[in-house]
Amino acid sequence: MDKSVADTLLLFLKKEITDSLYLVNDDDLYTINIGYFSSSLKAGERAFHLFSDSLINKYDIYYGDSAKVYDEFRYIPFVGEDLNRPALYKYDLVRKKEWLIWSKWGRKIINFSYSQNFSPAYFLTALSYGRKAGFPFILDVRAYKYNVADNTVKRMEKLGTGLQVFANSNSSGNYEVYFNILDSVNTSRILQKKNIYDFNGEKINYEENYFHILEEGYPVPPSSLPQLVSPSKNHYLKAEGEEEGVSYFLNNYEIDKRDFIFSSALELSKVDWSGDENYVIVSLKSPGADSDSQISKLLIISTENAVIKKEFENRGAVNFIVHGDLLIFDSWNNATSQITVYDYKKELIYDVISVPGGCGLNYIKSEYIGD
């Protein structure tokens, strides 16, 4: 922009926001720098906040004075259908548009995992899967790493054919894959192969363990525990009671206060906190039900006054992420499979991501094969 336009915009922004503002001249092309941030994610979050408040309509993220970098907040990768197979897509929060990133014949994405800022991100594919003679089966499983910054996909390993596969990103950012295979010699035993991959997609650990089905049951990796304590340890969501009806309380250690919030017979699934800890997000699901009969609820709770600000009900599992002031979650209702982007501070739906055939944060409803 020219200097007169830049000066006018600078004066306007100084009246509206408290961020540090800098006018930069590059060969008579003027730009306004808004503050300094610890990461691209934080800078992108602040820029999107200004954009959603209609204070700016175009922005980029820079490192230093001139190096433009990838905006870690603006883009949301997800799984959606393409040519009757689950494929990898990306969504732009500013443009409210999605586009196809990766799709291959014979490669159905069955699970997409990522850390908080989607880097690193990984996914598993299979040729086909189902049940035979009472046992699950899955054919030609492969593991991939996805680089969100340049949209490149790297195949890490061909895992082969077996019964079932589980995967998650652990707290260290490593990718853990558990692959169950029926012992070809002793069919009462399950061989579980555990592979761990690092940030670069390189295998750093491999383990094999055998399980006797009749004695030890079918091996399933331990589920991650809900984050009941807030990051600052100032708040604690506490569950009390029997499975038939559990009561949930919010302990606020800053003011030494304990408040009852709600009771539910549904099973606690996941808990997350907003960055300022003014909100806690809770998902609950009906225990032991399959994806078609499962009822789930997603609650947005204010930690200031310990009340439920908003409740969403879902037919099926609820996968969600807290992304700045946005709550992004799967919407599975009847035959539809969409992703809702909800601004929990403004209490409004920002957008609904929809792809023909369905979409989801980690998998799509029509291809759900269990956790």
Side-chain angles (χ1 to χ4, degrees):
M1 69 184 83
D2 61 35
K3 190 173 187 305
S4 61
V5 174
D7 285 337
T8 301
L9 179 57
L10 183 64
L11 183 62
F12 167 75
L13 289 174
K14 283 182 176 180
K15 295 178 180 178
E16 298 293 329
I17 62 178
T18 58
D19 304 65
S20 299
L21 300 170
Y22 308 91
L23 188 63
V24 178
N25 178 12
D26 184 9
D27 292 332
D28 292 329
L29 179 64
Y30 291 85
T31 58
I32 297 174
N33 288 3
I34 304 177
Y36 291 95
F37 302 87
S38 60
S39 66
S40 168
L41 181 67
K42 291 296 183 183
E45 180 180 346
R46 179 57 178 153
F48 179 76
H49 188 270
L50 296 174
F51 170 82
S52 61
D53 284 344
S54 301
L55 294 176
I56 59 176
N57 57 23
K58 184 179 180 181
Y59 62 87
D60 291 302
I61 309 300
Y62 286 84
Y63 179 77
D65 294 329
S66 58
K68 184 178 176 180
V69 297
Y70 177 77
D71 187 341
E72 294 181 348
F73 186 84
R74 177 171 174 168
Y75 302 101
I76 311 296
F78 66 95
V79 178
E81 188 164 298
D82 174 60
L83 300 175
N84 296 315
R85 60 176 174 262
L88 184 63
Y89 284 79
K90 205 172 197 179
Y91 171 77
D92 184 338
L93 282 168
V94 173
R95 296 173 58 238
K96 294 186 177 181
K97 298 288 185 181
E98 66 280 334
W99 67 97
L100 182 65
I101 296 294
W102 188 90
S103 178
K104 281 193 174 183
W105 180 89
R107 299 286 97 214
K108 294 182 176 183
I109 296 180
I110 56 175
N111 179 278
F112 182 48
S113 302
Y114 41 79
S115 59
Q116 187 176 17
N117 62 343
F118 307 106
S119 181
Y122 311 90
F123 61 89
L124 296 173
T125 69
L127 177 63
S128 65
Y129 38 80
R131 298 189 72 87
K132 186 176 182 180
F135 280 95
F137 72 87
I138 189 163
L139 304 180
D140 193 13
V141 178
R142 302 181 187 185
Y144 296 82
K145 180 180 183 295
Y146 168 52
N147 188 319
V148 293
D150 61 13
N151 292 322
T152 57
V153 173
K154 168 189 174 182
R155 191 182 73 199
M156 298 188 297
E157 190 169 2
K158 290 183 177 181
L159 299 175
T161 295
L163 295 174
Q164 205 167 10
V165 64
F166 307 86
N168 63 76
S169 294
N170 63 26
S171 58
S172 301
N174 295 327
Y175 187 51
E176 298 180 349
V177 179
Y178 298 81
F179 195 31
N180 290 349
I181 301 171
L182 190 65
D183 191 331
S184 59
V185 177
N186 183 352
T187 55
S188 65
R189 294 200 313 173
I190 299 289
L191 167 62
Q192 185 176 83
K193 297 181 178 181
K194 179 182 178 182
N195 296 284
I196 301 180
Y197 306 90
D198 66 10
F199 185 91
N200 297 312
E202 301 297 328
K203 186 190 290 189
I204 58 174
N205 192 45
Y206 174 75
E207 298 176 11
E208 287 189 359
N209 292 289
Y210 284 92
F211 297 84
H212 292 268
I213 300 176
L214 298 179
E215 298 175 8
E216 302 170 90
Y218 187 82
V220 177
S223 301
S224 57
L225 297 175
Q227 189 182 347
L228 299 177
V229 181
S230 68
S232 71
K233 297 182 172 55
N234 288 329
H235 300 91
Y236 174 39
L237 184 68
K238 185 172 178 59
E240 296 181 359
E242 302 298 327
E243 293 182 359
E244 293 77 12
V246 178
S247 295
Y248 292 87
F249 298 84
L250 183 66
N251 293 350
N252 188 328
Y253 295 125
E254 285 186 300
I255 56 177
D256 193 23
K257 186 181 180 183
R258 169 185 163 97
D259 291 294
F260 168 78
I261 309 173
F262 68 96
S263 293
S264 178
L266 297 177
E267 181 181 279
L268 186 64
S269 178
K270 181 180 176 180
V271 177
D272 204 355
W273 306 78
S274 63
D276 55 15
E277 297 188 13
N278 289 333
Y279 298 86
V280 57
I281 316 299
V282 177
S283 70
L284 306 132
K285 63 181 181 180
S286 49
D290 58 35
S291 61
D292 290 327
S293 60
Q294 190 176 79
I295 298 295
S296 300
K297 288 187 177 182
L298 188 60
L299 309 178
I300 302 173
I301 300 167
S302 167
T303 59
E304 182 180 3
N305 47 24
V307 297
I308 298 173
K309 302 288 289 184
K310 184 69 175 179
E311 178 178 323
F312 296 94
E313 187 168 304
N314 209 41
R315 178 69 66 176
V318 176
N319 297 310
F320 75 87
I321 56 172
V322 178
H323 195 59
D325 292 349
L326 302 175
L327 176 62
I328 305 175
F329 60 94
D330 289 348
S331 298
W332 290 5
N333 291 294
N334 299 321
T336 63
S337 175
Q338 301 173 318
I339 299 172
T340 298
V341 183
Y342 182 78
D343 190 320
Y344 57 84
K345 289 191 175 179
K346 294 180 179 178
E347 299 184 9
L348 56 84
I349 292 177
Y350 175 76
D351 196 16
V352 176
I353 305 171
S354 181
V355 172
C359 59
L361 289 172
N362 305 106
Y363 40 76
I364 61 178
K365 182 178 182 180
S366 61
E367 299 289 343
Y368 177 69
I369 60 174
D371 296 322

